Amino acid sequence: MTVTIVGSQLGDEGKGGIVDLYGEEADVVVRYQGGDNAGHTVVHEGEEYKLSLVPSGAIRDKVGVLGNGCVVNPRTLFDEIDTLRDRGLEPDVRVARRAHVILPYHRILDGIEEEAKSESDQKVGTTGRGIGPTYEDKAGRRGIRVGDLLDPDVLRERLEYVVPQKRALAEDVYGVETGEEFDVDALYEEFQEIGERLAENDMTVNAGEFLDDRLAAGENVMFEGAQGTIIDIDHGNYPYVTSSNPTAGGAATGTGLSPAVAGQGEIIGIVKAYLTRVGKGPLPTELGGVEGDTPGYDAEAGNDTDELAKYIREEGGEYGTVTGRPRRVGWLDMPMLRHAARVNGFTGLAVNHLDVLAGLDEVKVGHAYTVDGETKLTMPATTEQWGDCDCEFRVFEGWPEVDWADVAADGYDALPENARAYLEYISDELGAPVYAIGVGPGRSETIVCEQPW
Ligand code: IMP
């Protein structure tokens, strides 16, 4: 069977921990979209591992697959694999031949375009990993795929077509001087060697076929979504989105399996007990602000929720795994979550970071929006309208700081009563049971109510 893990908010919901927890029963863990813009931290036997590309299951002897919907930076891939090897692990990672390759010029172009937008509200605040430019080339039918790296003639031909275009774009449109990142010979040399390494290690697969065979053999396959629903290119708040589909539909298109395969399994929405966002865009439940990211926020002037935002940011360690940037912080946003529940069809929920909110007198939730005098229970389709939404808040009584390891060991009923009321509200509103509750960073600090397999 399959279990799909999807971020229900803006990314950084703590998916890695849940993939790790439920991945225990999986034989194969597959990423179906995104690239090294993701960041997951997994704690295994007291050791912390930070990964941005390799599926986190690979830390625990699972087969890790990067599906065709991913964009793969081979430098990152091999760096991560080599680092894991140096730490005594033997990760088994397979890469779809249909996945697209992030080339050095994609990263440069990502930076150039962000810079060009920096004076306007158009700046997305990307991770700078070349994700958007790579998906652009995929859609523009000028991309280079993992399979192309295995055939030097095809690789050369594709590079000779595309690289002069990229060079002209950088130099003639943006007026930026280019170096070996835009040089056909240099790129050919490096990427042909990468192709050799992939082939020698038998790392490439026809992802759909590979996964179908594993399922037919009775194995458990987990689909690991990166990022989150509200930064999905189709269902997120465009243009402040990533360029792929983190939503559950991506588990079909990004792996080569039918939608029925993911649809017949469990689809678990990962919810952070509050909200964070990296980069620009509206955030109706925002507390405090991050200068440069929060619209209209001036750090010197500050505002009256700054202290609370700082408290949550520190308690939750809310700094980007990939970039180290401080994340914007807000209360839980239910219209956002209702939208996510519809788009993804959650069969269960995992609510993370409940411990971070402990000790507050009260915990608020954006229950509904008001916009143009109307009450809305779900998100509007345009980002501009979303930015115009005001929140109607519900207030929950806070819960005390407790020994979370004990609570995790004792189970759901050991949670403080007010924390349970909060969880039950979320579950009722989204029409899905809570399968797991994260109350700390380690795997043992999770209350498991349901095993999805
Ligand atoms: P990109 O994916 O680097 O193109 O960035 C596009 C948007 O998605 C930016 O707002 C990023 O901050 C955001 N983003 C990308 N990956 C993640 C992630 O793993 N967590 C949270 N936000 C992300």
Coordinates of all heavy atoms in Angstrom, one line a residue, residues 10-12 37-39 124-128 131 227 231 241-242 278, ligand 1:
L10 N 2.6 26.2 4.5 CA 3.5 26.9 3.6 C 4.9 26.2 3.6 O 5.9 26.8 3.4 CB 3.7 28.3 4.1 CG 2.4 29.2 3.8 CD1 2.1 30.1 4.9 CD2 2.6 29.9 2.5
G11 N 4.9 24.9 3.9 CA 6.2 24.2 4.0 C 6.7 24.3 5.4 O 6.1 25.0 6.3
D12 N 7.7 23.5 5.8 CA 8.3 23.5 7.1 C 7.3 23.1 8.2 O 7.3 23.6 9.3 CB 8.9 24.9 7.5 CG 9.8 25.4 6.4 OD1 10.6 24.6 5.9 OD2 9.7 26.6 6.0
N37 N 15.6 22.5 -2.7 CA 15.0 23.7 -2.0 C 14.3 23.2 -0.7 O 14.0 24.0 0.2 CB 13.9 24.4 -2.8 CG 12.9 23.4 -3.5 OD1 13.1 22.2 -3.5 ND2 11.8 24.0 -4.0
A38 N 14.1 21.9 -0.6 CA 13.5 21.3 0.6 C 14.5 21.3 1.7 O 15.7 21.3 1.5 CB 12.9 19.9 0.3
G39 N 14.1 21.2 2.9 CA 15.0 21.0 4.0 C 14.4 20.1 5.1 O 13.3 20.5 5.6
V124 N 10.1 36.7 -5.1 CA 9.4 35.6 -4.4 C 10.2 35.2 -3.1 O 9.6 34.7 -2.2 CB 9.4 34.4 -5.4 CG1 8.9 33.1 -4.8 CG2 8.7 34.7 -6.7
G125 N 11.4 35.5 -3.1 CA 12.2 35.1 -2.0 C 12.5 33.6 -2.1 O 12.4 32.8 -1.2
T126 N 13.0 33.2 -3.3 CA 13.3 31.8 -3.5 C 14.5 31.3 -2.7 O 15.2 32.1 -2.1 CB 13.6 31.5 -5.0 OG1 14.9 32.0 -5.3 CG2 12.6 32.1 -6.0
T127 N 14.7 30.0 -2.7 CA 15.8 29.5 -2.0 C 17.1 29.6 -2.8 O 18.2 29.2 -2.4 CB 15.6 28.0 -1.7 OG1 15.4 27.3 -3.0 CG2 14.4 27.7 -0.9
G128 N 17.0 30.1 -4.1 CA 18.2 30.3 -4.9 C 18.8 29.0 -5.4 O 19.9 29.0 -5.9
I131 N 15.4 26.2 -8.8 CA 14.2 25.3 -9.0 C 13.3 25.9 -10.1 O 13.0 25.2 -11.0 CB 13.4 25.3 -7.6 CG1 14.3 24.8 -6.5 CG2 12.2 24.4 -7.8 CD1 14.9 23.5 -6.6
Q227 N 7.9 20.9 0.6 CA 7.2 22.1 0.6 C 5.7 21.9 1.1 O 5.5 21.0 1.9 CB 7.2 22.8 -0.8 CG 8.6 23.4 -1.1 CD 9.5 22.4 -1.9 OE1 9.0 21.7 -2.7 NE2 10.7 22.3 -1.5
I231 N 2.3 26.7 -1.2 CA 3.3 27.1 -2.1 C 3.3 26.2 -3.4 O 4.3 26.1 -4.1 CB 4.7 27.3 -1.5 CG1 5.1 26.1 -0.7 CG2 4.7 28.6 -0.7 CD1 6.6 26.3 -0.1
V241 N 5.2 31.1 -4.8 CA 5.0 29.7 -4.8 C 6.3 29.0 -5.3 O 7.2 29.7 -5.9 CB 3.9 29.2 -5.7 CG1 2.6 29.6 -5.1 CG2 4.0 29.7 -7.1
T242 N 6.5 27.8 -5.0 CA 7.5 27.0 -5.7 C 7.0 26.6 -7.0 O 5.8 26.8 -7.4 CB 8.0 25.9 -4.8 OG1 9.2 25.4 -5.4 CG2 7.0 24.8 -4.6
V278 N 8.4 31.4 4.8 CA 9.7 32.0 4.4 C 9.4 32.8 3.2 O 8.7 32.4 2.2 CB 10.6 30.8 4.0 CG1 12.0 31.4 3.7 CG2 10.8 29.8 5.1
Ligands
IMP1 P1 11.9 28.0 -4.7 O1 11.3 26.7 -4.5 O2 13.4 28.1 -4.3 O3 11.7 28.5 -6.2 O4 11.2 29.1 -3.8 C1 9.9 29.5 -4.1 C2 9.1 29.8 -2.8 O5 8.9 28.6 -2.1 C3 9.9 30.7 -1.8 O6 8.9 31.5 -1.1 C4 10.5 29.8 -0.9 O7 10.8 30.4 0.4 C5 9.5 28.7 -0.8 N1 10.1 27.4 -0.4 C6 10.7 26.6 -1.2 N2 11.1 25.4 -0.6 C7 10.6 25.6 0.6 C8 10.6 24.7 1.8 O8 11.1 23.6 1.8 N3 10.0 25.2 2.9 C9 9.4 26.4 2.9 N4 9.3 27.2 1.9 C10 9.9 26.8 0.8

